[in-house]
Amino acid sequence: MVAEVRANRNQLNGAVADREFRKLAETLPILCWIADADGYIFWYNRRWYDYTGTTPAQMQGWGWQSVHSVKDLPRVLEVWKAAISSAKPFEMVFPIRGADGVFRPFLTRINPAFDETGAVTNWYGVNMDISRQVEAEEAFAQSEAKFRVLTDTMPQLVWSATADGQLDFLNARWYDYTGVPVGGADGDRWLDALHPDDQPRAWAAWQAALISGEPFEFEYRLRRRDGAYRWHLTLVNVDRDASGRLTKWYGACTDIEDIVQARTLMRRSHDELEALVQRRTGERNLLATLVERTDVMVMALDTDYRILAINQANIDEFERIYGRRPKVGDNMLELLADQPEQQAISHAAWARAIAGEEHTFIETRGDPSRARSDYEIKFRTLKNDEGERVGAFQFVTDVTQRLKDQRSLAQAQEALLQAKKLEAMGELTGGVAHDFNNLLTPILGALDLLERRGIDGERAQRLIHGARESAERARTLVHRLLAFARRQPLRSVPVDVGGLVRGMADLIVSATGPTVALVLELADSVPMARADPHQLEMAILNLSVNARDAMDGTGRLTISVTAQSVEKGHPAQLVPGSYVRICVKDTGKGMDEATRARAIEPFFSTKERGQGTGLGLSMAHGLASQLGGALTIDSQPGKGAQIAIWLPQTAEKTLSAGPTETGPTHAQAGTVLLVDDEAHIRHIAAEMLTELGFRVHQAIAPEAALAAIEAGLKPDVLITDHLMPGMTGVELARAVQARQPTVR
């Protein structure tokens, strides 16, 4: 009977509790429900039906599963069944679908009700919408991710600590600067990177700040990766929540080694030094956000092309080339709306980076009506902690000067390559011309002997004379080749170049014809130049004839002679100094760049076949180079050409002409020691000398000649080749004169 009364009383109490819970639940802005001991939900408050858009018939029993995510439902059922089995309260977070079809996160708390025996009678549950809290946490996480990315790009050392002073973040620059492994300075271990003498003071300042909760700054020496200590200024600020409670410490370290050195070395007054520190500190404070210390232009955009961050360098450069100052929040594409071409280029580059493609390129940017420059642009994708793309950022460097320097280097390399090419051609040409000259010498000698002896009658003499003229032309060609190769023998003396040109006027007029107007521009008091006057005349005459041909026989030919001073960096690589410049200028068709590049190559000619040898410019170039000068060409298509020969000036006076030695000029007699390693040259020379009345002793090599002298030969004259195996002609002459000083 007692048990029955107790059961009735428990049932009555349970009914009263259910009724009171239901009254309260209908007034709450949260979702409430009641289930029996087995988890069968038999009642929901009105807020539940309004939110889910369901009816009581749909929700009875286990109908609540229809508004849960299919993905999360197995986990919810597992937890719910475990709670029923354990009869313990629990809470969890899972999404519930609203009447609008959107799943929102809810915090669910469930408590059991028991009877006097301890058995579960009912379960009471409430679901609270926490979507705003979750969104706030996600926004905070994204902000934290951006903070880490941006601080890692800063050149300053940035860190943060918890409210109780435990270091929880150091940017990449800190680890890179100190060389401490990542994670090796957490907690209080950051002190190890400070100078031992500064650690107690820094620790005391930090502890005082933790007590006061106020921003502060202090100076200390920080160990660099290479072991050197440098002074740094640390600025520390605090972050507080809405209630004013301190939640975070943030610090930025700035290198102030220059300031500290200034204190020691300059011994400035206290007031001056304080002003300097304040000024430099103020400058560093401005640079403490993002990457303000660098002249590299930095900007970050979100996926809608709105500016998330931009440094001062980028703002200034954007204004310089586009005329407006961008700021955070501006849409990059809208900023370039009046520049459709630039907008399209910028859009394409940013779109690639936002899509996840990190790329680098060099491009010209800017409003053509304002300013344009060349930039190296590096794009990187911006991601949050979950690896999701949230935008992109760029690093931009002005490379206008670098590209200009590269082009200058390429031009210099091209000029060096051309010089090496001409040098190689000169070596080849000189060798061929030397060998060809050796072949011509006996031919000319033999023809000369035959012609002077008058053998075989008039017809044979005509043939010999024609052959000799052809050989002479071949010798002239060889001399020009030797001039290009800078191997021709020169009689280098002081020359009045102005007088030489003036004396050539009639010859030039005769060579160029009556339809070419010759103009001489000869400056007064031009110093002497060291040159071979005969070869110089030939070079000027050749240039004049080339000018005539370039003008098709009609035009104005101007020859000028001036004194010039050459500084370092001359286009023709002349040694700095004083020069005489002979310029031959025409009004002809001119040359394009390709023609100018090959103009001094031997046998290169733009004339028709048979109208020139292509050796005029190459001979003049070789002559100028052999004399220590240079040849320059200034020409453009349709604007004529200026060919200039540069010769070093000399303070010497013009040498007097005439014989320098005395002796018989007609009757020859005596002994000649003839030395040449080319047998055919040696034999024809001996023949000619014998005919002139000399006794000739031949030697095949310098050693054989010296051996003959040692054996008693006493020649009156030594005639020798110059280039021979073992010893040159000059060396042989000196050796002979050392033994017999009277030998000529």
Side-chain angles (χ1 to χ4, degrees):
M1 184 67 178
V2 173
E4 184 179 350
V5 171
R6 183 179 296 114
N8 290 334
R9 185 170 65 250
N10 289 341
Q11 185 177 3
L12 177 62
N13 290 339
V16 172
D18 281 354
R19 187 169 58 253
E20 293 302 320
F21 177 78
R22 295 183 186 189
K23 288 181 180 180
L24 177 62
E26 293 294 358
T27 66
L28 296 175
I30 59 178
L31 314 185
C32 302
W33 48 268
I34 305 173
D36 63 16
D38 296 324
Y40 182 91
I41 300 178
F42 56 84
W43 181 86
Y44 298 88
N45 69 343
R46 175 53 52 189
R47 176 65 177 166
W48 173 276
Y49 295 119
D50 291 341
Y51 174 77
T52 61
T54 59
T55 65
Q58 293 173 321
M59 289 293 101
Q60 287 297 311
W62 301 93
W64 56 271
Q65 299 181 39
S66 65
V67 296
H68 282 64
S69 167
V70 175
K71 181 181 68 174
D72 297 316
L73 186 58
R75 179 173 61 89
V76 175
L77 288 172
E78 181 182 355
V79 174
W80 181 215
K81 291 177 181 179
I84 293 173
S85 300
S86 66
K88 293 182 180 180
F90 74 95
E91 67 177 44
M92 66 181 298
V93 175
F94 54 82
I96 298 176
R97 187 183 67 237
D100 57 1
V102 177
F103 283 94
R104 295 180 179 84
F106 279 77
L107 173 64
T108 298
R109 290 184 175 145
I110 303 174
N111 282 294
F114 303 96
D115 60 16
E116 290 184 353
T117 66
V120 175
T121 60
N122 287 321
W123 292 89
Y124 297 91
V126 295
N127 306 98
M128 292 171 284
D129 187 346
I130 60 170
S131 57
R132 291 187 178 180
Q133 176 183 343
V134 171
E135 290 173 357
E137 290 175 352
E138 290 177 351
F140 176 78
Q142 292 179 356
S143 176
E144 183 75 11
K146 293 176 183 177
F147 169 78
R148 289 177 178 271
V149 171
L150 294 176
T151 54
D152 278 346
T153 64
M154 294 177 63
Q156 288 183 307
L157 316 184
V158 180
W159 54 269
S160 67
T162 59
D164 60 357
Q166 293 299 305
L167 207 65
D168 62 358
F169 170 74
L170 287 160
N171 70 344
R173 173 65 175 161
W174 198 94
Y175 289 112
D176 183 62
Y177 181 86
T178 62
V180 174
V182 176
D186 295 340
D188 296 334
R189 290 183 292 173
W190 58 271
L191 274 172
D192 296 340
L194 272 60
H195 193 285
D197 295 344
D198 297 334
Q199 291 180 12
R201 181 172 54 84
W203 180 253
W206 181 227
Q207 295 303 310
L210 293 176
I211 295 172
S212 68
E214 296 296 327
F216 70 100
E217 64 181 56
F218 64 92
E219 299 174 7
Y220 58 88
R221 285 164 288 182
L222 185 64
R223 185 179 64 245
R224 198 167 57 187
R225 175 185 290 272
D226 59 5
Y229 285 94
R230 292 181 65 85
W231 282 98
H232 282 71
L233 170 67
T234 292
L235 302 176
V236 184
N237 214 330
V238 297
D239 188 28
R240 301 180 185 276
D241 59 19
S243 67
R245 181 175 60 88
L246 191 152
T247 58
K248 201 83 168 178
W249 294 89
Y250 292 98
C253 308
T254 303
D255 190 318
I256 59 167
E257 180 70 20
D258 294 342
I259 295 176
V260 175
Q261 291 297 329
R263 294 173 186 167
T264 303
L265 300 177
M266 302 304 292
R267 301 185 181 278
R268 293 178 176 173
S269 67
H270 175 75
D271 292 341
E272 291 174 333
L273 184 57
E274 184 176 6
L276 175 62
V277 172
Q278 290 176 351
R279 184 169 67 253
R280 294 294 295 274
T281 301
E283 294 170 357
R284 295 302 190 269
N285 286 340
L286 294 176
L287 302 177
T289 56
L290 303 177
V291 288
E292 296 296 340
R293 285 183 59 189
T294 180
D295 57 356
V296 174
M297 292 155 268
V298 182
M299 181 164 56
L301 302 186
D302 64 16
T303 54
D304 294 324
Y305 301 94
R306 296 196 176 277
I307 300 176
L308 297 174
I310 184 169
N311 71 343
Q312 191 65 39
N314 205 326
I315 293 172
D316 293 342
E317 186 68 3
F318 197 95
E319 181 181 30
R320 186 181 76 86
I321 64 176
Y322 291 121
R324 56 184 62 87
R325 293 180 70 80
K327 62 182 182 301
V328 173
D330 286 345
N331 186 288
M332 173 56 62
L333 302 182
E334 293 176 1
L335 288 172
L336 297 173
D338 62 341
Q339 298 281 330
E341 181 180 352
Q342 295 290 303
Q343 183 190 57
I345 294 173
S346 183
H347 181 216
W350 278 105
R352 291 170 60 189
I354 291 174
E357 180 183 352
E358 298 188 346
H359 56 110
T360 301
F361 56 87
I362 293 177
E363 196 166 65
T364 302
R365 294 283 182 91
D367 183 348
S369 64
R370 296 183 59 86
R372 290 173 69 82
S373 294
D374 297 317
Y375 303 96
E376 181 182 67
I377 307 174
K378 298 180 180 180
F379 279 98
R380 299 294 182 265
T381 303
L382 188 63
K383 298 181 180 180
N384 59 19
D385 283 344
E386 287 73 36
E388 300 170 335
R389 295 193 300 272
V390 296
F393 58 96
Q394 68 174 10
F395 296 97
V396 182
T397 305
D398 190 326
V399 295
T400 305
Q401 185 60 43
R402 188 180 83 189
L403 294 182
K404 181 179 178 182
D405 293 341
Q406 288 175 349
R407 287 191 291 269
S408 297
L409 177 60
Q411 292 172 355
Q413 290 173 336
E414 179 64 25
L416 178 59
L417 181 62
Q418 181 68 7
K420 288 184 176 179
K421 174 183 174 182
L422 289 174
E423 182 179 354
M425 292 178 67
E427 289 293 329
L428 176 61
T429 303
V432 171
H434 179 268
D435 292 341
F436 193 44
N437 196 49
N438 284 343
L439 296 175
L440 278 174
T441 298
I443 294 172
L444 281 166
L447 290 172
D448 182 66
L449 285 174
L450 292 173
E451 188 176 31
R452 288 198 297 132
R453 289 176 179 176
I455 63 175
D456 291 337
E458 181 180 350
R459 182 174 180 276
Q461 284 297 307
R462 284 199 306 270
L463 294 175
I464 294 170
H465 181 71
R468 188 165 181 261
E469 286 184 345
S470 296
E472 288 288 355
R473 286 197 297 272
R475 184 168 64 177
T476 300
L477 180 64
V478 168
H479 286 172
R480 290 185 176 184
L481 290 172
L482 289 172
F484 168 74
R486 288 175 277 179
R487 293 187 181 182
Q488 65 177 333
L490 296 180
R491 186 173 65 90
S492 180
V493 296
V495 175
D496 175 6
V497 178
L500 181 143
V501 172
R502 189 178 295 107
M504 290 180 63
D506 291 340
L507 178 61
I508 294 172
V509 169
S510 175
T512 56
T515 56
V516 173
L518 175 63
V519 179
L520 300 183
E521 296 178 351
L522 310 177
D524 297 332
S525 303
V526 176
M528 297 287 182
R530 177 160 286 280
D532 184 317
H534 174 69
Q535 296 294 339
L536 183 57
E537 285 179 347
M538 290 294 296
I540 295 172
L541 186 60
N542 281 330
L543 295 180
S544 300
V545 172
N546 281 353
R548 177 203 64 191
D549 295 341
M551 297 185 291
D552 294 328
T554 302
R556 186 174 67 256
L557 173 63
T558 304
I559 303 178
S560 61
V561 177
T562 56
Q564 300 285 335
S565 179
V566 171
E567 304 292 337
K568 185 177 181 181
H570 189 269
Q573 305 299 316
L574 283 171
V575 176
S578 299
Y579 292 83
V580 174
R581 177 174 177 266
I582 308 107
C583 180
V584 179
K585 179 181 179 182
D586 64 60
T587 57
K589 57 177 110 17
M591 298 182 239
D592 58 21
E593 185 176 351
T595 302
R596 288 199 309 273
R598 300 189 59 193
I600 61 175
E601 294 181 10
F603 303 114
F604 175 78
S605 176
T606 59
K607 301 175 184 177
E608 296 294 332
R609 183 181 298 273
Q611 294 185 9
T613 63
L615 288 171
L617 277 176
S618 58
M619 185 272 286
H621 167 264
L623 173 66
S625 299
Q626 192 170 355
L627 292 170
L631 181 137
T632 58
I633 302 175
D634 183 9
S635 180
Q636 294 182 16
K639 296 184 178 180
Q642 294 187 73
I643 314 297
I645 296 176
W646 301 71
L647 299 175
Q649 293 182 14
T650 179
E652 299 178 41
K653 302 300 181 181
T654 304
L655 298 179
S656 59
T660 57
E661 298 179 354
T662 60
T665 58
H666 298 288
Q668 287 87 7
T671 301
V672 174
L673 175 56
L674 176 62
V675 186
D676 197 308
D677 59 330
E678 295 284 348
H680 51 286
I681 295 178
R682 191 172 65 251
H683 293 158
I684 194 65
E687 185 74 17
M688 296 172 72
L689 289 168
T690 300
E691 187 166 293
L692 290 173
F694 289 98
R695 295 185 302 277
V696 181
H697 182 91
Q698 299 183 42
I700 193 172
E703 293 79 6
L706 292 176
I709 289 176
E710 295 292 342
L713 178 66
K714 294 184 178 181
D716 299 294
V717 179
L718 169 67
I719 298 178
T720 176
D721 186 19
H722 177 59
L723 295 177
M724 295 179 291
M727 183 182 295
T728 67
V730 173
E731 292 170 341
L732 174 61
R734 289 171 179 165
V736 170
Q737 286 194 327
R739 292 165 171 78
Q740 296 184 15
T742 61
V743 174
R744 297 168 61 186

